[in-house]
Amino acid sequence: MAQIETRDYDVVVIGGGPAGMGAALAAHEAGASTVVIERNEHLGGILRQCIHPGFGLTHFKEELTGPEYAQRFINRVREAGIDVMLGSMALGIDEGGREDAAHSVTVMGEDGMARLTCRSVVLAMGCRERTRFEIKIPGSRPAGVYTAGLAQRYINIENLRPGHRVVILGSGDIGLIMARRCALEGLEVEGVYELMPYANGLHRNVKNCLEDFGIPLHLSTTVTRVIGRDRVEAVEVSNVGEDLSPIPGTERIIPCDTLLLSVGLIPENELARAAGVEIDPRTRGARVDQDLQTNVDGIFSCGNVLQVHDLADNVTAEATRAGAAAAAHALGTARPDVLSEPVTLEPCGMAGYIVPARINRTVATKAFFRVRRPLEHAQLVIRAGDAVLFHGKTRDYKPSIMEAAPITPKMLAAVKPGETLTVSIDPVEEA
Ligand SMILES: Cc1cc2nc3c(=O)[nH]c(=O)nc-3n(C[C@H](O)[C@H](O)[C@H](O)COP(=O)(O)OP(=O)(O)OC[C@H]3O[C@@H](n4cnc5c(N)ncnc54)[C@H](O)[C@@H]3O)c2cc1C
């Protein structure tokens, strides 16, 4: 039987998007031998197909397209001489079987299988899009139903036209950006339909991608049937009530040959689950500590596989933390000041989730969350049990924006055994 090639690293990074590259650069800079595994033939992840501007405003203080933003990191990875395995799929994470190599990552590449032993693994596998199957739209199964990201790939990378008359379901950023992209390519965009009573994407994208192009946004409306035999001929849309169920009698038929679905992203955590990583049902990402380490010693998580980000700049910042922490773990330089009992963080009120889920050390850090629906006049309140430790200014909150709550050593010290630190967004009554 052929021998499987085995190589040893301090840090193995799975995924070569902005998260994987950011983590690899930080690990390398901290002195750890590092490899990036990427299943595609190129580094860059989803950014390769995001040819619109809007990237890099925080990190580079200039506005770049997705490929430009990615290329800056690809150049740095190359210049640093970090090992990169392209066309290589990570298949599993197992125990390393040696005291000096806690983990082993099995990889299928162009040259066959390889086994990479290491002390730390960084999960940076990104997200996949939810499909028609996952949201269960009834009707026939003709050609012409695409996820928005697939259509983006066809248009921006393959130079293919997905159709002529388009309906878009979902007003998250990907749906909004694709509405504009289709319009720019000469496709007729009939409208964007959104289940919720508000747009899910960033305000700037509603303005720049829909309003500037005269594309209507239909709120509290969903696609209730796909019509067509071989190719989509129309979709049926219906208004929805407060319970988000279609209201009988509001059905109308919209002629179109293409339906683009932009109905959410799902972190690609199959590998993580199989490795025993605990998954938060709210984010569908790993439950991590302040260093972005999961419950499995030496496995870290960052980027969209941890929590869905709207800004690549935030992915880079998070990945830099994960890479540095993975290197410190691998090299034995991680700070040992662990609390006797980790402090558990819980989202509360209108906060839909919280990352990190626990803090093991007295450290100043930030906890990230999103609200579950838009709120006017609301306040961030941090509590230990019933005691209020912090409250922020009254302001508006939107689900499209990732928020950060400050966590201080003083707050951590105030949490008594058995209590959790709750991060809450509470509505404020107008005077
Ligand atoms: C349509 C769209 C528009 C956007 N617009 C903006 C914008 O204007 N501004 C902005 O700042 N951000 C924008 N973003 C957000 C930003 O692009 C993402 O947040 C960011 O790309 C996430 O990076 P990531 O590395 O976590 O994931 P990805 O970029 O998805 O990278 C993950 C990588 O992991 C690889 N991988 C997965 N599993 C495996 C495996 N088992 N083995 C090997 N490799 C694997 C994948 O092939 C992929 O290359 C947009 C995103 C989309 C989709």
Side-chain angles (χ1 to χ4, degrees):
M1 211 168 87
Q3 277 292 104
I4 296 179
E5 185 199 345
T6 302
R7 274 180 271 156
D8 189 56
Y9 289 93
D10 292 321
V11 178
V12 172
V13 178
I14 306 177
M21 291 192 288
L25 283 162
H28 173 82
E29 276 158 25
S33 62
T34 304
V35 62
V36 181
I37 306 165
E38 169 54 55
R39 65 186 170 193
N40 289 325
E41 295 300 329
H42 307 268
L43 289 173
I46 197 75
L47 296 189
R48 293 186 64 244
Q49 63 186 62
C50 298
I51 63 171
H52 55 279
F55 297 81
L57 290 166
T58 320
H59 193 79
F60 292 112
K61 307 277 179 282
E62 55 182 307
E63 190 167 24
L64 304 171
T65 63
E68 285 170 336
Y69 186 87
Q71 193 60 45
R72 295 204 178 179
F73 289 93
I74 295 171
N75 293 348
R76 286 182 57 200
V77 167
R78 297 287 182 212
E79 281 157 20
I82 295 170
D83 283 1
V84 175
M85 294 172 71
L86 295 174
S88 300
M89 177 93 179
L91 300 177
I93 306 166
D94 299 295
E95 286 180 14
R98 296 199 319 265
E99 205 180 311
D100 66 340
H103 304 288
S104 136
V105 180
T106 306
V107 180
M108 175 55 108
E110 281 159 1
D111 302 327
M113 304 268 281
R115 192 164 169 263
L116 308 179
T117 55
C118 58
R119 279 148 287 286
S120 298
V121 177
V122 180
L123 307 172
M125 291 93 73
C127 280
R128 66 165 178 271
E129 296 176 281
R130 287 174 85 197
T131 61
R132 176 179 175 188
F133 173 75
E134 278 154 321
I135 58 165
K136 303 197 169 32
I137 304 175
S140 54
R141 302 188 62 189
V145 181
Y146 305 90
T147 60
L150 179 63
Q152 185 181 51
R153 184 187 161 85
Y154 281 166
I155 295 175
N156 293 350
I157 295 191
E158 315 278 350
N159 200 22
L160 296 171
R161 185 185 174 113
H164 293 87
R165 188 170 155 87
V166 183
V167 163
I168 298 178
L169 179 61
S171 66
D173 290 316
I174 306 178
L176 300 177
I177 283 163
M178 279 312 292
R180 176 178 63 183
R181 191 76 196 111
C182 288
L184 286 170
E185 286 297 318
L187 281 69
E188 193 182 338
V189 184
E190 197 286 328
V192 175
Y193 293 81
E194 169 57 55
L195 181 72
M196 305 307 284
Y198 50 85
N200 256 315
L202 297 171
H203 177 71
R204 72 168 196 223
N205 284 334
V206 175
K207 172 145 195 345
N208 299 346
C209 301
L210 300 190
E211 290 170 17
D212 289 359
F213 287 79
I215 298 170
L217 172 62
H218 305 269
L219 300 175
S220 297
T221 312
T222 192
V223 172
T224 39
R225 194 157 51 105
V226 175
I227 301 162
R229 214 177 89 90
D230 297 326
R231 174 84 199 189
V232 174
E233 289 163 19
V235 294
E236 177 193 86
V237 298
S238 304
N239 297 350
V240 300
E242 276 181 19
D243 64 352
L244 307 182
S245 302
I247 302 172
T250 62
E251 302 86 358
R252 50 205 188 273
I253 303 296
I254 312 293
C256 61
D257 64 4
T258 304
L259 172 63
L260 298 192
L261 301 175
S262 176
V263 289
L265 299 172
I266 302 176
E268 291 222 54
N269 268 311
E270 288 70 19
L271 275 180
R273 275 196 194 87
V277 169
E278 191 189 345
I279 302 295
D280 185 332
R282 298 183 188 98
T283 54
R284 298 172 88 161
R287 285 173 67 85
V288 292
D289 67 14
Q290 72 289 331
D291 292 332
L292 306 169
Q293 183 167 210
T294 69
N295 60 306
V296 180
D297 196 48
I299 299 187
F300 297 76
S301 180
C302 60
N304 274 6
V305 80
L306 175 63
Q307 55 178 332
V308 176
H309 290 261
D310 28 80
L311 294 180
D313 303 59
N314 293 344
V315 170
T316 299
E318 187 176 89
T320 303
R321 286 172 51 214
H329 181 273
L331 301 174
T333 56
R335 284 189 290 153
D337 50 342
V338 169
L339 293 172
S340 54
E341 271 293 309
V343 171
T344 303
L345 276 71
E346 281 287 343
C348 198
M350 277 295 142
Y353 70 85
I354 192 86
V355 174
R358 66 182 172 282
I359 297 184
N360 299 327
R361 193 191 300 142
T362 38
V363 65
T365 188
K366 283 182 184 160
F368 296 90
F369 66 92
R370 285 175 197 262
V371 290
R372 284 186 271 127
R373 63 172 172 79
L375 289 165
E376 289 175 2
H377 308 294
Q379 199 178 41
L380 166 66
V381 184
I382 302 178
R383 297 181 180 86
D386 293 332
V388 173
L389 307 178
F390 174 89
H391 50 79
K393 285 191 191 137
T394 300
R395 63 175 177 89
D396 299 351
Y397 283 87
K398 294 199 172 84
S400 53
I401 296 175
M402 189 187 282
E403 302 283 349
I407 307 294
T408 63
K410 203 169 157 195
M411 290 177 189
L412 297 170
V415 182
K416 300 193 187 90
E419 283 181 350
T420 57
L421 194 70
T422 59
V423 175
S424 185
I425 295 296
D426 297 347
V428 176
E429 293 292 321
E430 278 189 86

